[in-house]
């Protein structure tokens, strides 16, 4: 312990005071940020205490590392402090829209998702400079020589604050595990991890989990498939004989309705229907309209919805499967339909690298990918993340008509995207008056989408495609986040509680099958259930595919909808943040059924995660299915380099 004798600091030294000032400023700033920016759901005094102390372990750990720089430790501390502040602020901006925290896979997504500057800037305010106040204070103390620092006499001094960090963290973790058993092994919700462990400790944990996922694929084998196969086949819902094969040989067309939530269907603003065309489809009796259909997306949002629609698997709990698992083998609908003579195409008014689509669509088996290079991307035609809906759908018509039939196609709309601002002349529909600019603009944006769809349906009829095409339209994810609950209470006329927010995750699903009578379907269902539903309509039995979802039209369909964070909803019970509610009343209850359904929901998520993270479908080949090797797959055409 001779190195301790060289310790030139003492509790009264300016150096120690500077170190402690940095700790305290960072601690207070982080805690205040937790309270004002993040909706973490503090339920008791233990959780409040943990939220208060968890920044300390991170502060001692990272600031202690600055002492490794000896003579320049002060500059290193400020640099580390700035990086941590920037990371915290990045999470603040991200959370303002996504109600979620940044993960390492999310960081990788930023490399391929250009065009997000407008949305990010709209979430920032001038007061956000306050998140860097502690950095400014520390720089001022040194710059104006209020404090002059001594060099750290030895790098071993870093052991002291790091040991303190470990001690605080272990104390923190023990209390967290007592309040939330199996926190690190069973939690699907990042809110829980940040609430109990802190944003910075969560980032470390997330890095470990990301590396672990990569290792899982390396160690996986065909033996991992047997248990999963038995489970999924035991829970298979056989097709409804009234509908099975009724659309055999027809084209299939998916249309992703960007950010559209079900509350907008049949909603009137100042006596005007916001979505009159979609309303007419919901009630015309010729279209299946699912009014208890929920999005189940995670951090991948639109790409997650695409993934579920094509594969009947859940997306990842962290990051986007499009980014992190593009080399996997999948039993996706485009690949399945190849053996039936189908041509497949994806059409999107943004560039091919967004969400890594140019690579991931290969894994799904798409023959063509028509990206922005096939469209007239003039300034007046572009909004948010790409081409506006009206020119996109109009310019997509000749591309669709050029496809050999039967075809499986997917069109992704973009205009109804946060922050929902409309260009002058796009729509004359009035904005809302709910005290929130984003919510007010949502009604105009949704109306513009509705107009575009009505025009597109007329074009399909004129082209002769309408009478031979299953048209599937779905909301991909929520549009209005919890940050706008005050305005949403005015929109819905109800208090937006945690339970009500779960209900607001409904998104529309329309399935129009030529010659088949439709109607409103009240079954509780989710995005993983659509692929087997459509394949059964086409006469393809999915019994031998490892699907998580089931045919919604089946009389055996089980109405339980797991959300990606581990919550779930059924017609009887709803679980949000570990609290069980009666679905019909929204009242908290103690219910054995809730615990049983919780196990089912968790099991579905876990099975899907094992399939995706371990790439297990490379070991399983249903009869007649030809696997796609994304490393050796080329589009027939439809992409431009």
């Amino acid at each position: 312990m001779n190195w301790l004798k060289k310790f030139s600091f003492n509790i009264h030294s300016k150096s120690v005071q500077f170190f402690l000032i940095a700790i305290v400023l960072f601690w207070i700033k982080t805690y205040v940020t937790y309270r004002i920016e993040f909706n973490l759901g503090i339920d008791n005094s233990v959780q409040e205490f943990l939220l208060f102390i968890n920044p300390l372990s991170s502060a001692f750990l990272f600031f202690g590392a600055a002492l490794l720089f000896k003579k320049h430790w002060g500059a290193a501390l400020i640099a580390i402090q700035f990086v941590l502040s920037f990371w915290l602020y990045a999470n603040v901006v991200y959370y303002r829209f996504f109600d979620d925290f940044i993960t390492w896979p999310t960081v990788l997504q930023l490399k391929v998702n250009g065009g997000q500057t407008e949305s990010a800037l709209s979430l920032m305010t001038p007061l956000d400079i306050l998140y860097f106040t502690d950095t400014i204070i520390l720089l001022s103390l040194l710059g104006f020589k209020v404090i002059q620092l001594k060099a750290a006499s030895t790098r071993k001094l870093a052991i002291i604050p790091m040991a303190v960090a470990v001690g605080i963290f272990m104390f923190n973790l023990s209390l967290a595990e007592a309040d939330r058993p199996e926190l690190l092994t069973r939690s699907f919700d990042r809110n829980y991890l940040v609430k109990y462990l802190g944003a910075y400790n969560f980032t470390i944990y997330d890095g470990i989990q990301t590396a672990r996922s990569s290792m899982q694929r390396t160690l996986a084998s065909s033996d991992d498939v047997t248990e999963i196969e038995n489970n999924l086949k035991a829970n298979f819902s056989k097709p409804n004989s009234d509908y099975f094969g009724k659309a055999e040989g027809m084209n299939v067309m998916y249309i992703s309705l960007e950010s559209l939530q079900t509350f907008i269907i049949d909603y009137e603003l100042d006596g005007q229907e916001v979505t009159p065309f979609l309303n007419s489809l919901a009630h015309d009796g010729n279209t299946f309209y699912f009014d208890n259909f929920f999005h189940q997306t995670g951090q991948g949002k639109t790409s997650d919805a695409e993934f579920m629609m094509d594969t009947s698997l859940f997306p990842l709990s962290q990051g986007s499967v499009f980014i992190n698992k593009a080399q996997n083998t999948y039993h996706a609908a485009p690949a399945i339909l190849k053996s039936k003579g189908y041509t497949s195409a994806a059409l999107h008014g943004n560039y091919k690298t967004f969400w890594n689509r140019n690579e991931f669509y290969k894994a799904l088996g798409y023959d063509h990918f028509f990206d922005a290079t096939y469209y007239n991307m003039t300034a007046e035609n572009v909004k948010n993340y790409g081409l506006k809906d009206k020119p996109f759908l109009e310019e997509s018509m000749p591309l669709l008509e050029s496809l050999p039939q039967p075809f499986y196609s997917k069109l992704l709309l973009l205009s109804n995207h946060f922050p929902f601002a409309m260009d002058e002349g796009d729509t004359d529909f009035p904005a809302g008056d709910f005290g929130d600019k984003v919510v007010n603009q949502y009604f105009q944006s949704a109306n513009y989408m509705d107009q575009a769809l009505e025009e597109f349906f007329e074009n399909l009829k004129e082209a002769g495609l309408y009478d031979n095409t299953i048209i599937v339209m779905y909301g991909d994810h929520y549009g209005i986040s919890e940050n706008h609950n005050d305005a949403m209470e005015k929109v819905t006329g109800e208090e937006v509680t945690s339970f009500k927010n779960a209900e607001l995750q409904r998104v529309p699903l329309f399935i129009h099958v030529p010659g088949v009578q439709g109607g409103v379907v009240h079954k509780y269902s989710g995005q993983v259930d659509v692929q087997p539903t459509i394949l059964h309509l086409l006469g393809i039995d999915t019994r031998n595919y490892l699907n998580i979802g089931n045919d919604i039209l089946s009389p055996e369909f089980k109405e339980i909808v797991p959300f990606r964070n581990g919550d779930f909803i059924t017609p009887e019970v709803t679980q949000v943040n570990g609290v069980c509610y009666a679905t019909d009343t929204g009242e908290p209850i103690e219910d054995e059924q809730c615990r049983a359904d919780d196990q089912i929901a968790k099991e579905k998520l876990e099975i899907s995660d094992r399939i995706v993270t371990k790439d297990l479908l490379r070991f399983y080949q249903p009869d007649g299915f030809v696997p796609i090797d994304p490393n050796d797959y080329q589009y027939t055409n439809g992409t431009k380099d």
Side-chain angles (χ1 to χ4, degrees):
M1 302 294 286
N2 290 334
W3 62 272
L4 281 174
K5 297 178 181 178
K6 299 179 182 179
F7 186 16
S8 59
F9 292 6
N10 61 67
I11 195 62
H12 301 293
S13 76
K14 294 293 186 180
S15 295
V16 171
Q17 290 174 20
F18 181 79
F19 187 87
L20 293 177
I21 287 171
I23 293 283
V24 171
L25 288 175
F26 179 81
W27 179 15
I28 293 172
K29 186 265 295 288
T30 304
Y31 175 71
V32 171
T33 302
Y34 288 164
R35 298 303 289 160
I36 67 175
E37 292 284 4
F38 304 139
N39 180 22
L40 297 175
I42 304 301
D43 297 324
N44 55 50
S45 58
V46 172
Q47 294 176 9
E48 182 66 64
F49 177 69
L50 289 171
L51 192 70
F52 180 66
I53 68 165
N54 70 47
L56 274 176
S57 60
S58 301
F60 275 102
L61 176 66
F62 291 110
F63 292 176
L67 296 175
L68 296 171
F69 292 86
K70 295 183 70 175
K71 183 179 179 180
H72 303 291
W73 74 269
L77 187 149
I78 291 177
I80 291 171
Q81 195 274 343
F82 174 77
V83 170
L84 295 177
S85 295
F86 181 83
W87 183 253
L88 181 66
Y89 178 60
N91 270 287
V92 167
V93 174
Y94 189 82
Y95 196 92
R96 284 174 181 170
F97 179 63
F98 290 113
D99 290 321
D100 206 348
F101 296 94
I102 297 173
T103 65
W104 287 112
T106 310
V107 174
L108 296 176
Q109 291 165 197
L110 295 177
K111 295 180 180 179
V112 295
N113 284 353
Q116 301 188 69
T117 304
E118 181 183 348
S119 290
L121 289 176
S122 70
L123 296 167
M124 299 177 182
T125 71
L127 288 177
D128 288 348
I129 190 65
L130 294 176
Y131 287 105
F132 301 92
T133 301
D134 48 344
T135 306
I136 296 170
I137 291 173
L138 295 177
L139 283 170
S140 299
L141 289 175
L142 295 186
F144 292 106
K145 297 185 178 180
V146 177
I147 290 179
Q148 294 184 347
L149 302 180
K150 288 183 178 181
S153 58
T154 172
R155 289 187 174 90
K156 291 182 180 179
L157 288 174
I159 294 176
I160 297 174
M162 289 181 173
V164 172
V166 172
I168 294 173
F169 177 76
M170 296 307 296
F171 173 69
N172 185 338
L173 183 60
S174 64
L175 283 181
E177 284 285 347
D179 192 67
R180 174 74 174 182
E182 299 181 302
L183 174 68
L184 297 181
T185 56
R186 294 282 297 171
S187 179
F188 288 87
D189 194 341
R190 280 171 290 280
N191 269 350
Y192 274 95
L193 294 172
V194 173
K195 174 170 65 176
Y196 284 110
L197 302 181
Y200 303 103
N201 290 329
F202 162 70
T203 298
I204 296 172
Y205 168 81
D206 175 56
I208 295 171
Q209 290 296 98
T210 301
R212 179 172 171 266
S213 175
S214 178
M215 184 62 69
Q216 284 178 326
R217 185 188 187 281
T218 303
L219 299 177
S221 71
S222 58
D223 294 337
D224 295 312
V225 178
T226 304
E227 179 186 353
I228 290 173
E229 180 183 4
N230 292 337
N231 179 290
L232 294 179
K233 287 187 175 180
N235 290 285
F236 175 76
S237 297
K238 67 180 181 181
N240 189 327
S241 58
D242 291 337
Y243 299 115
F244 185 78
K246 292 297 183 181
E248 185 174 358
M250 289 187 182
N251 303 317
V252 179
M253 183 181 298
Y254 280 87
I255 305 175
S256 173
L257 308 178
E258 173 66 45
S259 302
L260 200 68
Q261 293 174 243
T262 299
F263 77 85
I264 208 75
I265 302 299
D266 289 331
Y267 194 95
E268 293 188 6
L269 188 67
D270 298 331
Q272 297 184 66
E273 292 179 280
V274 181
T275 56
F277 176 66
L278 290 177
N279 297 348
S280 68
L281 294 180
H283 304 298
D284 68 2
N286 297 316
T287 302
F288 292 106
Y289 170 59
F290 300 79
D291 61 355
N292 286 313
F293 181 76
F294 293 81
H295 85 84
Q296 298 167 294
T297 62
Q299 289 185 323
K301 295 298 183 277
T302 300
S303 67
D304 283 354
E306 290 185 67
F307 179 68
M308 286 183 278
M309 290 287 179
D310 278 339
T311 68
S312 190
L313 295 171
F314 284 108
L316 297 173
S317 61
Q318 297 167 213
S320 167
V321 67
F322 269 44
I323 307 300
N324 299 299
K325 299 296 179 182
Q327 303 307 311
N328 279 14
T329 296
Y330 298 106
H331 298 162
I336 293 171
L337 290 171
K338 283 184 186 297
S339 65
K340 302 296 181 180
Y342 276 73
T343 300
S344 56
L347 300 90
H348 184 40
N350 201 334
Y351 292 95
K352 62 183 180 180
T353 56
F354 196 77
W355 282 122
N356 198 37
R357 286 188 172 99
N358 60 317
E359 295 300 324
F360 200 83
Y361 284 171
K362 294 179 182 178
L364 298 177
Y366 279 96
D367 297 311
H368 311 276
F369 178 19
F370 300 106
D371 74 333
T373 58
Y374 281 80
Y375 294 90
N376 186 21
M377 303 292 285
T378 58
E380 65 271 17
N381 282 352
V382 173
K383 174 181 181 284
N384 287 331
Y385 289 78
L387 200 62
K388 294 178 183 178
D389 294 346
K390 287 186 178 181
F392 168 68
L393 290 173
E394 182 179 353
E395 293 180 35
S396 293
M397 281 303 306
L399 297 174
L400 290 169
E401 291 179 87
S402 72
L403 295 174
Q405 299 188 42
F407 61 72
Y408 177 96
S409 61
K410 171 169 59 180
L411 299 94
L412 305 173
L413 303 187
L414 292 168
S415 294
N416 192 47
H417 195 290
F418 179 90
F420 310 111
M422 299 299 299
D423 290 337
E424 185 176 354
D426 281 344
T427 179
D428 58 2
F429 196 82
D433 184 20
F434 301 103
D436 185 313
K437 184 178 180 181
V438 168
V439 175
N440 292 344
Q441 293 173 161
Y442 185 78
F443 293 90
Q444 293 178 303
S445 189
N447 176 263
Y448 172 81
M449 177 197 289
D450 188 74
Q451 293 179 37
L453 289 167
E454 185 172 18
E455 293 174 5
F456 181 62
F457 269 58
E458 289 303 315
N459 289 335
L460 289 174
K461 291 175 182 178
E462 291 178 9
L465 291 175
Y466 182 79
D467 292 330
N468 191 38
T469 301
I470 301 177
I471 301 175
V472 183
M473 297 190 292
Y474 66 96
D476 57 351
H477 54 75
Y478 66 79
I480 308 298
S481 72
E482 290 182 74
N483 296 309
H484 305 278
N485 279 355
D486 289 345
M488 286 303 296
E489 289 181 354
K490 298 175 184 177
V491 171
T492 63
E494 299 179 60
E495 181 184 2
V496 181
T497 60
S498 295
F499 168 78
K500 181 62 178 178
N501 183 67
E503 288 203 316
L504 284 172
Q505 303 314 302
R506 286 180 174 88
V507 293
L509 173 65
F510 300 86
I511 301 177
H512 176 79
V513 185
V516 176
Q517 185 175 359
V520 180
V521 180
H522 300 301
K523 292 181 181 180
Y524 280 61
S525 56
Q527 290 166 327
V528 293
D529 300 311
V530 177
Q531 188 240 48
T533 304
I534 298 303
L535 290 180
H536 285 174
L537 284 167
L538 294 173
I540 300 171
D541 196 327
T542 62
R543 184 183 312 273
N544 291 321
Y545 289 93
L546 301 186
N547 292 333
I548 300 299
N550 272 294
D551 182 351
I552 309 172
L553 299 175
S554 167
E556 298 178 355
F557 180 76
K558 300 175 181 65
E559 298 181 60
I560 178 168
V561 184
F563 296 123
R564 181 58 270 191
N565 65 358
D567 293 337
F568 66 85
I569 189 166
T570 78
E572 292 79 30
V573 294
T574 300
Q575 182 170 289
V576 182
N577 296 331
V579 179
C580 188
Y581 301 87
T583 300
D584 58 349
T585 66
E587 294 297 320
I589 58 172
E590 290 289 336
D591 192 281
E592 184 62 35
Q593 186 62 46
C594 217
R595 285 186 284 273
D597 289 343
D598 177 62
Q599 289 299 114
I600 294 172
K602 294 289 196 302
E603 184 177 54
K604 286 178 176 288
L605 290 166
E606 288 172 356
I607 288 175
S608 182
D609 284 346
R610 285 157 60 190
I611 291 173
V612 176
T613 58
K614 295 184 177 184
D615 190 13
L616 294 184
L617 296 184
R618 61 191 157 131
F619 303 120
Y620 183 83
Q621 185 172 334
D623 291 341
F625 178 78
V626 179
I628 301 294
D629 180 359
N631 296 303
D632 188 31
Y633 185 85
Q634 298 295 326
Y635 299 107
T636 304
N637 59 46
T639 57
K640 293 182 180 179
D641 295 325

